[in-house]
Amino acid sequence: MNDHTTPQSVPRSTLRPTPRRTTRRSALRTLALAGVLAGTSLSTLNPTAVAADPETYALTIRHLDRAGTATSGYRTNVTGISGPGADASAAPYDESGTVTVRLPKGRYLLDSTLQAADPAAGTDWVVQPRLDLDRDTAVTIDARTTAPVNVRPQETGARYLHSMAFVEATHEGTTRSANIMMASDALRVAHLGPAAESGSVKEWIDTYWSGERADYALGYTFTSDRALTGLVRNPAPAALATVKVRAADPSGATGTGFVDIQPSAGPTVGLSQSLAPLATATFLVTPERGRWDVGYAGPAAPETPPNRYSANGFAVRAGATTTHTFDNAVFGPSLDPAPGARPAGLRTGDTLALDIPLLADGEGHAPSAPRFHAATTTLHRDGVLIGTRNGAPGRAEFTTTPGRAAYKLTATATHGSGPTAGGRVTASWTFTSAAASRPAELPLSTVRFAPALALDGTAPAGTLVRVPVTVGGAADRTGVRSLVVSMSTDGGTTWTKAPVIDGQAGFRTPGPGGTVSLRAELTDTAGNTLTQTQRNAFRTR
């Protein structure tokens, strides 16, 4: 396995990891995680001064270590959930180990981290998800009540990397949270105080390990009326799911990329490692943690942003293998099928806007920084050119006139270097459109070709291949009236129809060192059309 480094706490909104064991998270979920190495906990609200209130109460907190004596090695957070103190929070401290703070009446979440004098002895994290402050109250945080967190693989010699525990408490529709991230595996946890309402306490514990042939991402979630007091999980290999991430490189670039994995739901620290092109990273993960996300950042030249891909929210199953290949041919347009995703084409009044990944990889992963040499988008209205836009592939905006008319929208991008030089993707759509009282999605379709290629983007020469053909967008929703697929072995000078049977186009590849170009001509049941051409889509070996 690759070398790993101690994680740093980072916001979940970070798009990709830096070259170290840390986390990456898209903008779907944002959590501020700060200053939490080696057992420092943090509530999600910043400490604030509590305004004077006629109904405030003294909260006295006493901290005891594992020997039962007062300790100064603690950090405690008190975070308001509901009532007059809903927006109050404090991190009171006194070196004596006993501290008093006045807070408004209300329900609070309390969490406290106790650090032993000897770091090797580990960290204690005590959580009280229900602290009802309706009178002067005293609380004792006692490290002797904690029990170990032992979440590890059964592989002998697997090396601990880092872990995170996170708790949420909800009351009267408001949720507050606290977390701890650990650089050592010596964590002990305990619940404190009365039980809260049924199902109002949620807790996540994720641990990450490096093994001989695979890395481990072991995560568990719990919903209860209490925080956890200890946790033991040592899953057998048969209880884990395998996730493989393959880094392709059809252009022959050099350098090293990075791959990361983390659960889709809830906060996490995640796992990242270096991954050279033409290599595969293997992870063993817990199905109990739900769906998972993976990402890949390809090699990049100095001062050049890496090209990032992601596959989010996929299901896993114990004993089964899920494989994601990034940055491989055939490159072409792709639409986001997720519910509520932004339309690839949108008309708002007199404005027509196109925003479609024109150079998504062979599995349909959209790149963050597509590598291209030139990109052009044009719009015609009733056969008359409205405008031409140059810039990012598949992105353009035009102003037209309100009345209904026939439009032709064409987007082109040239890409590739080294063995893939000369690649060119063109998508041309025809449809009718008129201004409306509200934004309207343009009826755009795409076709994705997904041949089984080696990680260098090649297929065997002189063999009969079956290329899966997938229709997306408007035609997928309303139906396909006709679809014709053609292939070319001379860069698109001449074309031969390839019959599509059971969703696969069949044809014979050319000799070694040849290229295959692909074309799709589609009409949906509403009469909208697509002509999509991918020149030099892949090579033969």
Side-chain angles (χ1 to χ4, degrees):
M1 302 303 296
N2 293 299
D3 291 338
H4 308 297
T5 60
T6 300
Q8 300 292 327
S9 55
V10 296
R12 283 175 64 95
S13 57
T14 304
L15 290 179
R16 287 287 171 183
T18 52
R20 60 197 312 164
R21 288 277 181 184
T22 179
T23 187
R24 180 280 295 156
R25 177 60 70 182
S26 70
L28 296 177
R29 295 169 302 277
T30 303
L31 170 69
L33 301 177
V36 211
L37 278 181
T40 301
S41 66
L42 173 70
S43 74
T44 54
L45 294 182
N46 292 325
T48 58
V50 178
D53 189 301
E55 195 173 13
T56 63
Y57 298 101
L59 174 63
T60 300
I61 309 170
R62 184 184 180 203
H63 302 83
L64 302 178
D65 62 20
R66 293 180 190 174
T69 60
T71 178
S72 61
Y74 69 90
R75 178 167 178 175
T76 296
N77 301 281
V78 186
T79 305
I81 305 176
S82 61
D87 295 325
S89 64
Y93 180 81
D94 188 275
E95 191 172 358
S96 68
T98 299
V99 63
T100 299
V101 61
R102 294 196 68 86
L103 293 167
K105 177 181 179 180
R107 169 73 64 89
Y108 289 84
L109 165 66
L110 181 150
D111 78 285
S112 184
T113 302
L114 303 173
Q115 188 68 50
D118 179 7
T123 301
D124 299 291
W125 193 42
V126 179
V127 176
Q128 182 167 347
R130 178 180 180 177
L131 173 58
D132 292 318
L133 193 62
D134 54 8
R135 61 181 65 87
D136 290 348
T137 301
V139 172
T140 298
I141 310 294
D142 191 340
R144 294 172 296 178
T145 65
T146 62
V149 171
N150 183 349
V151 178
R152 65 181 64 229
Q154 292 190 5
E155 179 185 342
T156 301
R159 182 164 60 91
Y160 172 85
L161 299 173
H162 53 262
S163 60
M164 176 179 175
F166 183 94
V167 66
E168 286 183 345
T170 300
H171 187 244
E172 295 183 352
T174 298
T175 299
R176 299 296 188 227
S177 58
N179 66 79
I180 182 170
M181 286 187 284
M182 294 290 297
S184 78
D185 63 347
L187 174 64
R188 299 171 62 93
V189 298
H191 169 87
L192 177 65
E197 293 73 19
S198 176
S200 66
V201 181
K202 295 183 179 181
E203 193 158 357
W204 294 260
I205 289 187
D206 298 326
T207 71
Y208 299 90
W209 301 76
S210 177
E212 181 66 25
R213 294 182 176 85
D215 284 349
Y216 296 85
L218 310 180
Y220 297 91
T221 63
F222 305 89
T223 300
S224 179
D225 57 2
R226 305 170 62 86
L228 290 173
T229 296
L231 178 66
V232 177
R233 294 290 189 276
N234 305 132
L240 300 176
T242 300
V243 177
K244 291 183 178 291
V245 178
R246 305 196 313 157
D249 186 22
S251 64
T254 59
T256 300
F258 297 91
V259 61
D260 60 87
I261 187 168
Q262 57 277 312
S264 302
T268 186
V269 178
L271 181 63
S272 175
Q273 70 175 49
S274 60
L275 182 64
L278 310 185
T280 299
T282 301
F283 304 96
L284 296 177
V285 306
T286 45
E288 293 90 337
R289 191 58 169 85
R291 294 178 177 268
W292 290 80
D293 300 344
V294 296
Y296 173 68
E303 309 302 324
T304 301
N307 197 9
R308 299 183 174 101
Y309 298 94
S310 64
N312 296 327
F314 59 88
V316 299
R317 182 168 52 88
T321 298
T322 303
T323 301
H324 294 276
T325 301
F326 293 101
D327 210 21
N328 207 1
V330 170
F331 296 99
S334 179
L335 300 175
D336 187 349
R342 186 184 187 281
L346 192 67
R347 176 159 188 170
T348 306
D350 293 342
T351 299
L352 269 70
L354 179 69
D355 188 357
I356 183 172
L358 202 60
L359 296 176
D361 70 10
E363 290 191 358
H365 307 121
S368 66
R371 304 300 186 223
F372 67 99
H373 305 301
T376 301
T377 304
T378 62
L379 179 67
H380 289 78
R381 181 183 187 275
D382 289 336
V384 178
L385 179 66
I386 295 294
T388 299
R389 304 288 184 267
N390 298 312
R395 299 186 64 181
E397 188 173 290
F398 301 91
T399 300
T400 182
T401 52
R404 177 168 294 274
Y407 288 89
K408 182 178 182 180
L409 181 62
T410 302
T412 298
T414 59
H415 65 94
S417 60
T420 61
R424 183 173 181 175
V425 175
T426 300
S428 185
W429 300 274
T430 67
F431 53 89
T432 59
S433 177
S437 59
R438 62 181 60 185
E441 182 177 356
L442 301 179
L444 308 184
S445 300
T446 61
V447 172
R448 183 162 64 86
F449 300 105
L453 303 176
L455 291 180
D456 62 356
T458 64
T463 61
L464 182 63
V465 296
R466 298 289 181 184
V467 177
V469 179
T470 304
V471 173
D476 180 44
R477 296 189 295 269
T478 63
V480 176
R481 179 183 299 170
S482 65
L483 173 62
V484 176
V485 172
S486 305
M487 60 88 66
S488 171
T489 59
D490 57 11
T493 301
T494 59
W495 293 92
T496 301
K497 290 184 179 180
V500 179
I501 301 174
D502 295 331
Q504 295 184 325
F507 54 85
R508 187 170 295 278
T509 59
T515 64
V516 174
S517 300
L518 298 169
R519 183 174 67 190
E521 298 166 284
L522 178 147
T523 303
D524 68 17
T525 54
N528 307 300
T529 72
L530 163 71
T531 301
Q532 180 179 308
T533 305
Q534 287 149 273
R535 192 179 71 183
N536 295 344
F538 65 91
R539 298 173 292 116
T540 56
R541 61 181 185 276

